[in-house]
Amino acid sequence: MPMPTSNSPVIEDIDEFARLAGLHLDEQQAAVLREALRIDPETGKWQCPTWTPPTPGQTDDLVATRVLLGFLILDENVMWSAQHRATLLDAFHRLVNCINRLGTANGPSEFDLGHNIRIKARRTNGEEQLERLDTGTRIRFISRRYRGAGRGCRADLLIIDDPDFRRREQDLAPATASRPNPQIVIVE
């Protein structure tokens, strides 16, 4: 998996990438995301393996940008976890709209982003996911309401979208345990 460095285009062009996807990051949010994407030069791992974006309630575009960068640029498998299904559906639809803006739709569930990057959206109730057909990486939307949800999934990037995350964090830990450099984003 290619990792961003302090002078990587992934780091420098966050604002433009977000804008192309239909997301808006102000200068402070872009700076915060650049910092969260820093790699420790000695270990080659995230400097922020667990990251909580600032300003609760104003992080939708910030987290969506991080997820899209992981999925489309860094080749990360992503698991987006929330207690409530409505939260997951909102995130799913937001990302589908972003991907649609970045490419062209080939029907209601397939998108072509150019450079042989094709995305398939699975819209089955309770099993929503986005999959890159060229690499097989996925964004899975997992409701923690159901015990064992996400079991057997591996995630390089884990989004915990719930103010009551502390008691659920242990349930999701196995998803990142086998990954070489996972990052957990906690949305409060």
Side-chain angles (χ1 to χ4, degrees):
M1 163 181 5
M3 298 307 269
T5 61
S6 59
N7 58 1
S8 168
V10 170
I11 300 292
E12 302 309 321
D13 295 338
I14 287 174
D15 315 65
E16 179 67 11
F17 178 82
R19 187 186 65 72
L20 290 171
L23 301 169
H24 174 73
L25 298 182
D26 61 32
E27 287 181 31
Q28 181 182 8
Q29 288 174 317
V32 164
L33 187 51
R34 281 187 196 92
E35 199 57 39
L37 289 168
R38 299 272 185 220
I39 296 293
D40 183 319
E42 291 181 22
T43 65
K45 297 195 181 266
W46 297 115
Q47 285 184 351
C48 299
T50 301
W51 174 57
T52 303
T55 59
Q58 299 177 349
T59 60
D60 290 349
D61 285 2
L62 184 62
V63 174
T65 302
R66 173 60 184 98
V67 168
L68 288 170
L69 284 169
F71 180 58
L72 297 173
I73 308 293
L74 302 175
D75 200 29
E76 293 178 318
N77 278 302
V78 180
M79 184 187 309
W80 194 312
S81 172
Q83 179 71 18
H84 300 288
R85 201 152 141 58
T87 303
L88 292 172
L89 286 174
D90 182 54
F92 174 75
H93 292 298
R94 173 182 289 265
L95 293 177
V96 167
N97 288 335
C98 290
I99 287 171
N100 190 33
R101 288 181 62 110
L102 291 168
T104 54
N106 295 337
S109 296
E110 229 177 271
F111 305 90
D112 186 347
L113 276 58
H115 307 288
N116 293 322
I117 300 173
R118 290 188 8 246
I119 309 292
K120 182 171 182 137
R122 182 176 190 175
R123 299 173 185 270
T124 306
N125 191 18
E127 296 179 19
E128 290 81 8
Q129 72 176 3
L130 297 164
E131 180 179 4
R132 277 189 63 168
L133 299 177
D134 58 322
T135 64
T137 56
R138 297 177 183 173
I139 303 173
R140 294 179 182 188
F141 299 85
I142 307 292
S143 174
R144 288 191 314 276
R145 177 168 286 187
Y146 307 105
R147 189 138 181 94
R151 183 171 285 161
C153 296
R154 289 183 278 162
D156 301 295
L157 176 60
L158 174 61
I159 308 298
I160 301 175
D161 194 344
D162 191 346
D164 189 25
F165 71 91
R166 294 275 180 221
R167 64 187 178 91
R168 302 289 186 172
E169 190 172 18
Q170 295 153 332
D171 294 344
L172 299 169
T176 60
S178 67
R179 306 313 295 165
N181 189 23
Q183 187 174 49
I184 298 172
V185 177
I186 300 167
V187 181
E188 296 183 322

